[in-house]
Amino acid sequence: MNDQLAAFAEGRILYLNKPLHWTSFDVVNRVRGVLCRALGTKKLKVGHAGTLDPLATGVMVLCTGKATKQIDRLQAGVKEYVATLELGATTPSFDLEHPVDAHYPTEHITRALVDEVLQQFRGEIWQVPPVYSAVKIDGKRAYDYARKAQEVEIHPKLLVIDELEVLHFALPVLTIRVVCSKGTYIRALARDIGRALHSGAHLTALQRTRVGDVSLADCREIDELVADITAMTSEK
């Protein structure tokens, strides 16, 4: 077996740029499928260190083989995001997965007000995860209840926002950079910022730019990784 392929079987940590519209499972499934065919096996452990929503892009850390034992450590690293919010409108999922369900005034929102409101979200905060999320409630995912229009109580979580800054502001668009702890839902942060502005908000774009010390510059495109694995297969 090619030594590089053998390394995947033994255990490797991969840094990928998740494409738009792919689920985190799609990425894992794609990489696992390619590696299993290349290695001539039906089973290979592949996992990811931190879920990204389908409408988000950016840094995704995958582990293969024995490296999957490091997932908990890798997930614990701080995350950095660049998020674009549309102010004055909300959706049930707090992003573009669902259509706008309500509109709110934005005429009163100034850059000074935005700066004042964002100050509230720096440091330790309590955040209620979105109803359309993978949070478990009585053994089921929150989104399972939401899709059946069943109301459930989701308890708030204590999180840390290390950095929060405005990158762009021109009504109704607000783009922010967020450095935060594990478990932070940027969609929920958008919801809460909208409410604090006495308006509404939802995400229109989200990119994870860093996980721990790993940035986008360290990431490969999935097609590039697949092409390399395919080339290794021909060298076996």
Side-chain angles (χ1 to χ4, degrees):
M1 180 186 293
N2 180 293
D3 288 345
Q4 290 177 293
L5 282 175
F8 283 108
E10 179 64 20
R12 280 192 58 183
I13 299 174
L14 308 172
Y15 308 131
L16 299 174
N17 180 15
K18 189 191 86 64
L20 186 65
H21 300 306
W22 285 47
T23 67
S24 297
F25 178 77
D26 288 337
V27 177
V28 169
N29 203 36
R30 174 67 168 144
V31 172
R32 182 193 291 118
V34 170
L35 284 172
C36 282
R37 286 191 294 274
L39 293 164
T41 183
K42 292 184 178 180
K43 290 185 178 181
L44 177 66
K45 284 186 176 181
V46 180
H48 65 80
T51 302
L52 272 178
D53 290 334
L55 296 179
T57 63
V59 180
M60 191 166 178
V61 181
L62 262 64
C63 299
T64 72
K66 293 179 181 178
T68 53
K69 295 178 180 179
Q70 300 186 52
I71 285 178
D72 286 346
R73 175 184 65 81
L74 294 166
Q75 281 189 147
V78 298
K79 315 292 193 302
E80 179 185 68
Y81 298 89
V82 171
T84 300
L85 287 61
E86 180 179 333
L87 305 178
T90 58
T91 75
S93 55
F94 315 140
D95 63 7
L96 294 176
E97 183 181 345
H98 292 83
V100 170
D101 60 0
H103 290 88
Y104 301 85
T106 60
E107 295 82 3
H108 64 286
I109 301 176
T110 63
R111 174 58 191 268
L113 179 60
V114 169
D115 290 339
E116 179 184 335
V117 161
L118 291 190
Q119 185 59 37
Q120 303 173 24
F121 296 95
R122 295 187 179 97
E124 289 190 345
I125 65 167
W126 288 94
Q127 183 186 80
V128 178
V131 290
Y132 285 93
S133 70
V135 171
K136 280 196 172 182
I137 304 169
D138 296 331
K140 293 174 63 177
R141 301 293 185 183
Y143 55 67
D144 290 328
Y145 294 101
R147 287 167 183 166
K148 294 178 181 177
Q150 297 175 342
E151 292 190 8
V152 291
E153 182 181 2
I154 303 179
H155 298 291
K157 298 166 58 179
L158 182 62
L159 307 167
V160 178
I161 305 292
D162 295 301
E163 299 178 44
L164 180 57
E165 68 168 327
V166 175
L167 298 181
H168 172 78
F169 173 64
L171 282 175
V173 177
L174 171 64
T175 302
I176 57 176
R177 184 181 72 90
V178 187
V179 178
C180 56
S181 62
K182 169 189 173 183
T184 303
Y185 282 91
I186 307 301
R187 287 183 288 131
L189 181 62
R191 169 201 64 198
D192 295 341
I193 289 173
R195 288 175 178 172
L197 288 168
H198 302 292
S199 183
H202 66 280
L203 284 183
T204 57
L206 179 65
Q207 182 179 55
R208 187 156 68 191
T209 51
R210 181 165 61 87
V211 174
D213 294 327
V214 180
S215 69
L216 271 173
D218 302 309
C219 294
R220 308 181 70 192
E221 301 299 325
I222 292 178
D223 288 345
E224 180 186 352
L225 175 65
V226 169
D228 284 352
I229 293 171
T230 303
M232 293 175 200
T233 307
S234 64
E235 297 170 4
K236 288 195 297 183

